[in-house]
């Protein structure tokens, strides 16, 4: 006779893009443990190991019930020996040694604090760590030359490490909407990234901008940024121009994972007037710094850009992996290329892209892998 715990959970498909991954799930403690190890691997630039832990975590997020015994996971994909060991230990002892040691390690703490500075990646943080720099204050005392992004990152460190809430994202949405309609009537903006997936907080706010008449979007970002700057909304911005070279029937170069849209990585100055819910800005301050990403896409690529920028990062990776390995196709935020037919496939909606890939449609709220 077997109790409810013994009931086998139906085996899930192995690619995250073949299943729904909701925001709220049933195995938070296990997923948190795996996330620490994933994060540590990523900070140590061990990408493969990071992905393995992320895939294991995402599998657990898709499960319809809480796991109490590791045997319940028999037959599930994505769970390597290492991940299973961690899961077993947490289930049996409440904690996993490796996870606790990692959390407490000076290196992990320092790497998190340093990469928490906007403009600082794992490579730079690691170099500083080995010089004895463990915190943003150490960094300031060190007298290191910082680039413009890093200086802004240090200056607004506290604000940028507070989660951005949906109300603030909406307030920024109104500002971007105003900017866009002032400089190019008819242009439309869409909230993308984590907030489109239904998250209630994020580390930034992401927007995709397009115009229904192909070509009208050219040069749009510069105009939007000028307008925002003139109005005093920008504390920092770095615009990268569109480097997507389109030949007659598609991209001149094969699509890469890093897309080539015109984009702007920025820091907004959001005031109390714009957002009535600024409880988190300290003391007498009437504004807060918020990270905002804006991307412009030509209308013909909008569906691909929307799919590519809605995330999560693991979901995107899984979509591209599915496309290559299961369909001999190359998916990017610009296009879908069919290697067998040797042609680019057009799509006007995310639903069409899933269909072209032979996948059931997963709505944004199910892409929280
Ligand atoms: P993020 O804003 O980094 O992540 P997020 O919105 O999912 O989570 P958070 O709440 O922490 O902000 O990235 C959003 C999506 O944008 C992600 O799916 C990857 C995509 N993206 C690109 O396609 N190209 C890029 O150059 C970058 C930076 C992101
Ligand atoms: Mn985001
Ligand atoms: Mn993020
Ligand atoms: Mn972003």
């Amino acid at each position: 006779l077997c109790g409810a715990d013994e009931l086998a959970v139906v085996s899930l498909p192995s690619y995250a893009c073949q299943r729904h991954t909701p925001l709220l799930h049933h195995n938070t403690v296990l997923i948190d443990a795996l996330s620490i190890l994933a994060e540590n691997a990523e900070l140590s630039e061990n990408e493969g190991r990071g992905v393995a832990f992320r895939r294991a975590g995402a599998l657990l997020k898709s499960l319809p019930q809480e796991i109490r015994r590791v045997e319940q996971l028999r037959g599930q994909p994505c769970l390597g020996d290492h991940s299973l060991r961690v899961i077993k230990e947490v289930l049996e002892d409440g904690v996993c040694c490796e996870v606790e040691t990692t959390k407490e390690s000076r290196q992990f703490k320092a790497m998190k604090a340093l990469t928490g500075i906007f403009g600082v990646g794992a490579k730079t943080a690691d170099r500083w760590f080995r010089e004895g720099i463990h915190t943003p204050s150490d960094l300031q005392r060190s007298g290191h030359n910082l680039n413009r992004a890093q200086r802004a990152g240090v200056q607004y460190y506290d604000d940028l490490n507070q989660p951005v809430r949906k109300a603030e994202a909406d307030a920024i949405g109104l500002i971007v909407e105003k900017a866009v309609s002032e400089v190019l009537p008819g242009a439309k903006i869409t909230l993308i990234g984590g907030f489109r997936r239904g998250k209630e907080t994020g580390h930034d706010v992401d927007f995709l901008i397009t115009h229904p008449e192909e070509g009208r979007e050219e040069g749009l970002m510069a105009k939007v940024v000028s307008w925002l700057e003139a109005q005093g909304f920008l504390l920092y911005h770095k615009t990268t121009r569109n480097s997507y070279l389109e030949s007659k029937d598609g991209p001149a170069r094969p699509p890469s994972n890093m897309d080539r849209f015109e984009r702007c990585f920025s820091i907004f100055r959001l005031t109390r007037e714009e957002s009535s819910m600024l409880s988190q800005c300290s003391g007498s301050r009437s504004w807060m710094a918020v990270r905002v990403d804006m991307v412009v896409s030509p209308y013909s690529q909008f569906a691909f850009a929307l799919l590519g920028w809605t995330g999560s990062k693991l979901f995107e990776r899984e979509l591209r992996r599915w496309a290559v390995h299961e369909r001999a196709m190359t998916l990017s935020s610009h296009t879908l290329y069919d290697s067998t037919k040797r042609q680019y496939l057009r799509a006007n909606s995310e639903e069409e892209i899933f269909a072209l890939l032979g996948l059931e449609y997963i709505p944004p709220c199910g892409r929280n892998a």
Side-chain angles (χ1 to χ4, degrees):
L1 214 106
C2 56
D5 282 8
E6 311 282 329
L7 284 177
V9 178
V10 174
S11 244
L12 295 173
S14 80
Y15 289 86
C17 54
Q18 293 175 287
R19 25 172 236 260
H20 289 254
T21 311
L23 209 48
L24 300 174
H25 38 74
H26 309 274
N27 292 285
T28 309
V29 178
L30 297 176
I31 291 157
D32 288 350
L34 293 169
S35 299
I36 296 287
L37 299 184
E39 209 176 350
N40 189 48
E42 288 156 4
L43 290 172
S44 319
E45 292 185 85
N46 195 335
E47 200 192 358
R49 205 173 146 93
V51 171
F53 287 127
R54 295 272 177 220
R55 276 204 199 112
L59 187 280
L60 297 184
K61 289 183 194 172
S62 291
L63 292 173
Q65 66 181 69
E66 191 186 334
I67 293 301
R68 298 218 169 81
R69 289 154 34 78
V70 76
E71 290 75 23
Q72 288 173 279
L73 293 169
R74 200 173 289 137
Q76 296 293 356
C78 309
L79 303 171
D81 289 344
H82 198 155
S83 294
L84 280 172
R85 222 161 51 229
V86 173
I87 292 168
K88 189 164 188 283
E89 213 178 310
V90 173
L91 289 174
E92 289 173 1
D93 309 338
V95 286
C96 162
C97 253
E98 189 187 358
V99 174
E100 297 310 303
T101 310
T102 302
K103 270 200 274 193
E104 291 312 314
S105 90
R106 285 158 64 85
Q107 178 154 4
F108 181 69
K109 284 185 190 167
M111 288 297 287
K112 272 196 73 129
L114 295 175
T115 55
I117 303 170
F118 172 64
V120 178
K123 261 199 188 71
T124 305
D126 183 62
R127 199 175 63 235
W128 289 341
F129 174 75
R130 285 186 280 108
E131 292 171 20
I133 296 167
H134 292 194
T135 64
S137 323
D138 292 348
L139 179 62
Q140 275 179 302
R141 274 193 299 271
S142 76
H144 267 290
N145 276 328
L146 303 182
N147 65 33
R148 207 166 59 85
Q150 294 163 344
R151 286 200 303 273
V154 169
Q155 188 173 358
Y156 305 115
Y157 187 79
D158 292 332
D159 276 9
L160 299 186
N161 280 284
Q162 297 270 357
V164 184
R165 289 165 304 177
K166 184 62 166 56
E168 289 141 9
D170 290 338
I172 289 168
L174 292 175
I175 296 166
V176 176
E177 181 118 51
K178 174 106 171 91
V180 165
S181 69
E182 287 283 333
V183 303
L184 182 64
K188 66 166 185 166
I189 71 160
T190 307
L191 185 63
I192 48 174
F195 286 110
R196 182 162 185 254
R197 302 196 307 274
K199 283 179 67 179
E200 267 158 29
T201 60
H203 94 284
D204 68 358
V205 192
D206 308 283
F207 295 101
L208 177 57
I209 308 170
T210 191
H211 191 285
E213 277 171 63
E214 189 87 356
R216 293 290 300 278
E217 81 291 342
E218 276 172 36
L220 180 54
M221 189 64 86
K223 289 180 202 154
V224 169
V225 167
S226 303
W227 189 92
L228 289 168
E229 199 163 35
Q231 303 281 320
F233 285 121
L234 294 182
L235 296 167
Y236 167 90
H237 65 91
K238 186 178 195 306
T239 306
T240 310
R241 63 184 183 79
N242 185 336
S243 58
Y244 186 78
L245 308 167
E246 206 169 20
S247 68
K248 210 172 61 193
D249 48 10
R253 286 179 290 164
S256 71
N257 292 354
M258 185 68 180
D259 68 67
R260 282 161 271 142
F261 289 121
E262 190 176 35
R263 77 191 53 206
C264 180
F265 296 134
S266 72
I267 301 175
F268 266 54
R269 182 181 189 279
L270 185 64
T271 67
R272 222 178 263 288
E273 286 146 53
E274 283 114 34
S275 174
S276 51
M277 304 178 66
L278 281 182
S279 58
Q280 69 189 57
C281 59
S282 52
S284 56
R285 278 186 47 203
S286 60
W287 60 272
M288 64 180 288
V290 180
R291 274 271 299 115
V292 176
D293 289 338
M294 294 177 283
V295 199
V296 171
S297 102
Y299 202 62
S300 60
Q301 296 168 20
F302 179 76
F304 294 100
L306 184 62
L307 180 59
W309 279 80
T310 295
S312 66
K313 285 189 187 81
L314 182 64
F315 191 89
E316 303 296 337
R317 178 187 270 274
E318 291 284 277
L319 272 175
R320 292 192 298 262
R321 197 166 67 91
W322 166 272
V324 171
H325 293 291
E326 308 297 329
R327 288 293 180 272
M329 293 179 181
T330 310
L331 175 67
S332 74
S333 292
H334 300 274
T335 55
L336 180 62
Y337 181 74
D338 185 327
S339 308
T340 314
K341 294 183 184 161
R342 296 180 180 215
Q343 66 183 30
Y344 287 90
L345 307 177
R346 308 263 158 208
N348 292 314
S349 67
E350 288 181 318
E351 285 86 344
E352 281 180 43
I353 302 172
F354 278 89
L356 289 169
L357 288 168
L359 289 167
E360 176 206 337
Y361 176 67
I362 309 289
C365 64
R367 300 181 203 160
N368 287 293

